[in-house]
Amino acid sequence: MDTISKKTGSRKPKNIKHHNLRYVLSNLKKHGVCTASEISKESNLSVTTIVKILDILKREGLARSCGKGPSTREGGKRPELLAFNETYKYVVGVFFLRTQARYVLTDLNGNTLLVREVSYRDASDIDTCIKDACEQVARILTEQKLDAAKDLCGISILIDGVVNAGLGTVEYPIHNSTWKPGRQIMDQFEAYFPETDNIMIENSGRLWSQRFLEMNPELATGRVLAFYTGMANTAGVLLDNGVIVHGANCLIGEFGHMTMPNARQAVMCECGRANCFEKLIALERLPEYTLREIDKNVESELYERLMERTITPLELMGQADLGSAAVQRVLDQIIEYHLTVISNLMVTCDPKYYVIGGAYAAGSAYFRDGLMKRFDHTTFWGIPFGANIVFDTGSMEDEDKAYMTAPVISRYLQTLRLDD
Ligand SMILES: [Zn+2]
């Protein structure tokens, strides 16, 4: 990894060089096709320095030439157009789900080249599941004519549950309750792929929540908190300048288990406590909540559909936008729960942005408008919250699986070292 210069005993010059190299590389990745002087204009590096760095990147294969651009106004030499070579290396993502594993292969720009799901032979047997997963990854590489040592720059492993990413341990595999907690997954992958030193394991919700920020890097400076609600489990992440903050016990992000003092009933959660946020706002509860609010004489049609169970929770949520007073009252309560979480996060994390996504954010304008309005009127000791809410209305069924490999790619590019 890092080398200390023998002559001076200082690591500074080499670090600056690598820093500049990574800076130019990330600019190239961001711009698509550009010239050395375009990168220079955005930085404090001279064109000569950048040309030198681009030469190293080209020689290593990380940058590719795209011909010549138009000449400058002064009529000088036509500048070389360069682009990031996204197929320089590839990354595999493995997501351990309840009954099957999902595999993706992406290039360095996160383009999804392959998605595959394979059922477990025996979901209760963790060793077989991991062994089969390693073999499946090897099979994918062979099929794609890729070499684990030469072409693979990392493996990203995802699982639902409590994950200590720093130690590489799964503390609590939420859907695979027969799996023992520990470091087995990482240990087996590291043993199977000894040539790959960039293997990571992370809570799937954290990676999913980070996805919007990968797509909107302008939000990714300072503290940003993202959470996805409405599904059975709430996913969340806290980022500090684009880096996931885990906390001493890797519990930051488990916002779904904040308990709600304003709950109208006691709902038990698997974590052992009552009235956790994610339980109270779970989509499946909407019919029951609506039946409690509805006046069957006023909204008779909706009432009948609820009694006959011919309306899905998502369709039901949509009724708020169509003017159903009962569903609007239900969403008002859901918004209150969100505000309780935000108020608690305000005094613990104090982020600049809240990115809120998931079923409610994507499914209902009434929810989005209502939450914004209530948020704008919420104060702390009379001080308005100096933060912004941004909604991610993207769908979770998205074909784009870039989120699965994004952190492994950024770690690879951030630690990349090239010789002159
Ligand atoms: Zn809970």
Side-chain angles (χ1 to χ4, degrees):
M1 293 289 285
D2 210 342
T3 49
I4 297 172
S5 157
K6 280 196 185 90
K7 251 184 256 165
T8 60
S10 150
R11 49 205 304 164
K12 214 172 165 195
K14 198 137 199 170
N15 266 352
I16 290 175
K17 200 194 78 192
H18 284 298
H19 174 268
N20 289 346
L21 198 134
R22 289 193 291 264
Y23 175 82
V24 172
L25 189 61
S26 73
N27 255 277
L28 201 60
K29 194 165 182 279
K30 192 174 81 190
H31 282 288
V33 177
C34 62
T35 64
S37 71
E38 277 166 354
I39 297 176
S40 168
K41 266 180 212 144
E42 286 183 24
S43 69
N44 50 12
L45 300 174
S46 71
V47 178
T48 322
T49 307
I50 290 176
V51 167
K52 252 190 226 162
I53 293 174
L54 286 171
D55 278 342
I56 299 176
L57 293 176
K58 247 184 1 189
R59 193 195 62 215
E60 293 290 330
L62 268 155
R64 56 191 164 84
S65 178
C66 299
K68 301 270 183 201
S71 69
T72 52
R73 252 185 313 170
E74 295 77 27
K77 247 178 40 184
R78 288 171 64 200
E80 183 173 20
L81 293 172
L82 286 144
F84 174 65
N85 179 14
E86 69 274 12
T87 59
Y88 176 69
K89 298 267 176 180
Y90 298 84
V91 196
V92 174
V94 183
F95 189 171
F96 287 99
L97 296 152
R98 193 189 294 266
T99 56
Q100 80 269 33
R102 177 182 300 147
Y103 302 87
V104 303
L105 178 73
T106 75
D107 63 24
L108 285 181
N109 265 341
N111 297 309
T112 308
L113 308 171
L114 175 146
V115 182
R116 175 177 298 173
E117 291 201 358
V118 182
S119 296
Y120 301 135
R121 284 187 287 159
D122 177 1
S124 65
D125 180 3
I126 180 171
D127 285 322
T128 314
C129 290
I130 305 169
K131 188 171 152 276
D132 287 353
C134 290
E135 285 171 6
Q136 187 60 239
V137 171
R139 193 167 307 142
I140 288 171
L141 294 177
T142 310
E143 283 169 16
Q144 302 293 318
K145 300 188 171 50
L146 298 174
D147 181 79
K150 222 172 73 235
D151 303 313
L152 195 66
C153 76
I155 300 173
S156 177
I157 304 166
L158 295 82
I159 190 163
D160 290 331
V162 181
V163 175
N164 189 324
L167 298 176
T169 54
V170 179
E171 303 293 336
Y172 181 72
I174 195 163
H175 297 314
N176 316 66
S177 51
T178 54
W179 292 16
K180 289 182 297 293
R183 208 182 180 279
Q184 280 136 295
I185 300 181
M186 279 293 276
D187 284 345
Q188 273 183 249
F189 267 86
E190 283 171 357
Y192 200 100
F193 297 98
E195 59 281 87
T196 311
D197 62 359
N198 188 18
I199 303 179
M200 283 170 78
I201 188 161
E202 185 53 283
N203 163 293
S204 57
R206 282 199 192 108
L207 296 194
W208 172 262
S209 307
Q210 205 182 4
R211 152 190 171 277
F212 187 76
L213 299 157
E214 294 276 343
M215 299 187 302
N216 300 275
E218 70 279 9
L219 298 181
T221 54
R223 283 197 156 200
V224 185
L225 206 146
F227 62 109
Y228 285 74
T229 67
M231 311 76 76
N233 306 110
T234 290
V237 71
L238 172 65
L239 293 167
D240 206 354
N241 286 313
V243 178
I244 297 178
V245 181
H246 289 95
N249 298 286
C250 264
L251 290 176
I252 298 181
E254 299 289 338
F255 312 128
H257 297 279
M258 283 190 184
T259 54
M260 299 291 106
N262 44 353
R264 292 206 193 154
Q265 68 282 299
V267 178
M268 287 311 293
C269 177
E270 289 87 2
C271 79
R273 296 191 294 181
N275 295 333
C276 286
F277 172 66
E278 70 176 31
K279 283 286 147 197
L280 290 172
I281 60 140
L283 273 183
E284 64 193 27
R285 308 197 76 85
L286 288 189
E288 158 203 337
Y289 290 165
T290 311
L291 277 171
R292 210 163 52 193
E293 294 291 339
I294 201 165
D295 181 338
K296 60 182 171 190
N297 297 314
V298 180
E299 298 187 59
S300 53
E301 201 187 319
L302 182 60
Y303 179 75
E304 255 167 52
R305 290 183 70 191
L306 278 165
M307 293 307 282
E308 290 163 2
R309 298 174 190 224
T310 53
I311 187 162
T312 66
L314 273 178
E315 287 169 333
L316 187 57
M317 188 204 306
Q319 294 292 314
D321 292 13
L322 298 172
S324 162
V327 184
Q328 288 181 357
R329 280 196 292 276
V330 170
L331 288 194
D332 289 343
Q333 183 62 45
I334 301 280
I335 289 168
E336 278 310 309
Y337 292 144
H338 277 75
L339 274 170
T340 303
V341 169
I342 290 171
S343 299
N344 282 312
L345 291 172
M346 215 68 208
V347 293
T348 48
C349 301
D350 201 358
K352 194 164 78 174
Y353 288 103
Y354 289 93
V355 176
I356 299 178
Y360 293 108
S364 168
Y366 182 87
F367 171 82
R368 293 193 298 270
D369 296 346
L371 181 59
M372 277 309 236
K373 225 174 278 163
R374 291 282 292 113
F375 179 76
D376 286 342
H377 288 105
T378 306
T379 59
F380 184 61
W381 283 329
I383 312 162
F385 286 162
N388 302 291
I389 288 184
V390 181
F391 291 106
D392 176 4
T393 55
S395 157
M396 298 205 61
E397 302 308 317
D398 215 326
E399 281 303 297
D400 178 14
K401 298 285 182 275
Y403 81 96
M404 284 179 60
T405 59
V408 164
I409 296 173
S410 60
R411 186 161 83 173
Y412 168 69
L413 294 176
Q414 275 157 21
T415 54
L416 184 71
R417 284 172 184 272
L418 301 171
D419 301 321
D420 310 67

